[in-house]
Amino acid sequence: MYGFNAGVLHRANGGVRGFDSGAANELVRRTLAQNGFAAEGTTQPDFVSTVLKGVLGNSATLAAVRTTEEPDLPNGARFLAGSYACAEGSRDYRLYVPSKAVERLNGLLVMLHGCTQTAEDFAAGTQMNALAEKHRFAVLYPQQARGENSRACWNWFSPGDQTRDKGEPAILAGMTRKIVADFGIPSSATFVAGLSAGGAMAVILATTWPDIFAGAGVHSGLPYGSASDVSTAFSAMAGRNVGTASLAPQVPVIVFHGSADATVSPLNADRIAGDVRRGHSGQSLETSERRTVGGRNCTRMVETTMDGRPMIETWRIEGLGHAWSGGNAKGSHTDASGPDASAEMVRFFGQCRRKRT
């Protein structure tokens, strides 16, 4: 069941590295007080469990990054392990290559896990490998290094990891370029998606590397430039307005966010949509509909250019917390109810394929 809104016309332009735990804990206490979370001097949890658990992990077992058994693969499919290094650093990865890869891959999807997750865990929870097998695309799962963030979070709130040629964006873009070249994947069909910290990093890549990524998927993430340190990270997570970023995504973006997300405010989904709109010139057409999918009510908003090209698609899912919608319980931070975020992202990316030049 759903309701449909005919359309609205819009006009254009409408983890922390190497920290000292004592100093960080004190900073957290001051920041919480300044942002109205607690009175000055109130005892707060450890920095990791307060910031990294609250921001981008929210796991009851933060003591160890989740491990997952190797999946059973279709005959001929491969789940490769590798590592990529460049001047900015190195990261390990897993790469799913479907069984029909010999017939040429249709594209590449880079999947960025959330805090406390591993590449294998994220693959199991999102079930993206099964979709890759069906649609014949490869899936790259970069793995955050524990030495760079003690809870395996991508450092989305670090200024050194928010620019094109520095830090994690440069590493992830270089890794993607290597896989694209190694497997002869069309440059018109390379996409990135992520959950929470991974979603925030996906926005960064969509903003700083639009020449590599033709579209992005963001689940429970945050807008580009929404934080520059621990203090502003708290404000961004809580949905407080921290200003307009100087840059905006230049590629189409699909966003999922739960209305019951107590970790990252759903207001961040609206801000991502606003940034995408701001990054496009010309007029756009917006439509919206109400649906009940997988036992959950949700609102789907779609905005396109006047000639029908996708710009932004946003799903607000009632009752969903900080978890991957329609995910598999074999992975962490998943919720089986609601729309299948993985399938909807793949469908959206199919609309975003660039024309070859």
Side-chain angles (χ1 to χ4, degrees):
M1 299 176 61
Y2 60 88
F4 185 75
N5 179 10
V8 178
L9 186 68
H10 287 282
R11 295 192 179 275
N13 299 322
V16 177
R17 302 178 182 178
F19 60 87
D20 174 77
S21 61
N25 284 332
E26 178 58 29
L27 176 57
V28 165
R29 283 191 289 271
R30 293 198 308 270
T31 300
L32 287 171
Q34 291 166 0
N35 287 278
F37 289 100
E40 184 73 48
T42 300
T43 301
Q44 295 293 338
D46 170 79
F47 174 81
V48 170
S49 60
T50 300
V51 180
L52 299 185
K53 173 182 175 182
V55 178
L56 309 163
N58 198 24
S59 170
T61 56
L62 281 172
V65 172
R66 183 185 177 101
T67 58
T68 305
E69 294 182 0
E70 286 292 304
D72 294 329
L73 302 178
N75 290 334
R78 294 172 289 168
F79 199 29
L80 307 174
S83 182
Y84 172 81
C86 65
E88 292 299 308
S90 64
R91 295 294 187 277
D92 294 336
Y93 63 82
R94 297 300 299 267
L95 176 69
Y96 183 80
V97 183
S99 60
K100 296 181 180 179
V102 292
E103 300 176 20
R104 190 172 185 222
L105 291 170
N106 289 327
L108 174 68
L109 175 56
V110 181
M111 290 286 285
L112 301 174
H113 63 74
C115 292
T116 77
Q117 293 184 311
T118 64
E120 296 82 3
D121 174 24
F122 198 40
T126 61
Q127 304 179 90
M128 195 61 80
N129 289 354
L131 289 166
E133 188 67 29
K134 178 180 179 180
H135 297 284
R136 209 166 75 233
F137 61 87
V139 190
L140 175 62
Y141 299 91
Q143 177 64 56
Q144 175 64 300
R146 294 294 296 277
E148 297 297 329
N149 189 292
S150 64
R151 289 300 178 265
C153 307
W154 299 102
N155 291 297
W156 62 275
F157 47 80
S158 167
D161 295 296
Q162 296 175 350
T163 58
R164 177 179 172 93
D165 295 315
K166 299 293 183 181
E168 291 172 358
I171 297 170
L172 294 169
M175 182 188 295
T176 301
R177 278 177 162 169
K178 181 180 186 303
I179 300 302
V180 166
D182 288 350
F183 287 84
I185 297 171
S187 59
S188 60
T190 301
F191 307 95
V192 60
L195 171 66
S196 196
M201 185 55 68
V203 173
I204 292 173
L205 290 174
T207 303
T208 59
W209 288 97
D211 48 330
I212 292 182
F213 300 102
V218 185
H219 203 311
S220 311
L222 297 104
Y224 177 81
S226 57
S228 57
D229 53 28
V230 174
S231 177
T232 51
F234 275 108
S235 293
M237 290 181 300
R240 290 181 170 83
N241 190 353
V242 292
T244 301
S246 58
L247 301 175
Q250 302 294 311
V251 300
V253 180
I254 182 170
V255 179
F256 284 80
H257 217 118
S259 68
D261 192 335
T263 299
V264 177
S265 169
L267 291 175
N268 286 289
D270 300 331
R271 289 174 183 159
I272 293 171
D275 284 349
V276 174
R277 188 178 299 117
R278 181 169 54 86
H280 283 74
S281 59
Q283 296 179 324
S284 63
L285 181 66
E286 177 187 315
T287 59
S288 63
E289 60 181 348
R290 291 275 296 170
R291 293 181 176 183
T292 299
V293 183
R296 279 222 167 92
N297 295 326
C298 55
T299 300
R300 174 176 175 253
M301 184 278 289
V302 176
E303 190 166 343
T304 66
T305 61
M306 296 305 292
D307 59 357
R309 290 180 291 112
M311 282 178 49
I312 179 71
E313 181 171 323
T314 303
W315 291 73
R316 180 68 60 82
I317 305 161
E318 295 182 10
L320 177 68
H322 198 65
W324 190 273
S325 178
N328 191 306
K330 290 183 179 179
S332 63
H333 309 312
T334 61
D335 188 320
S337 300
D340 184 341
S342 296
E344 295 294 348
M345 286 185 181
V346 171
R347 184 262 312 159
F348 179 80
F349 293 149
Q351 301 172 352
C352 299
R353 294 174 69 99
R354 293 176 174 142
K355 293 181 180 180
R356 297 187 187 183
T357 56

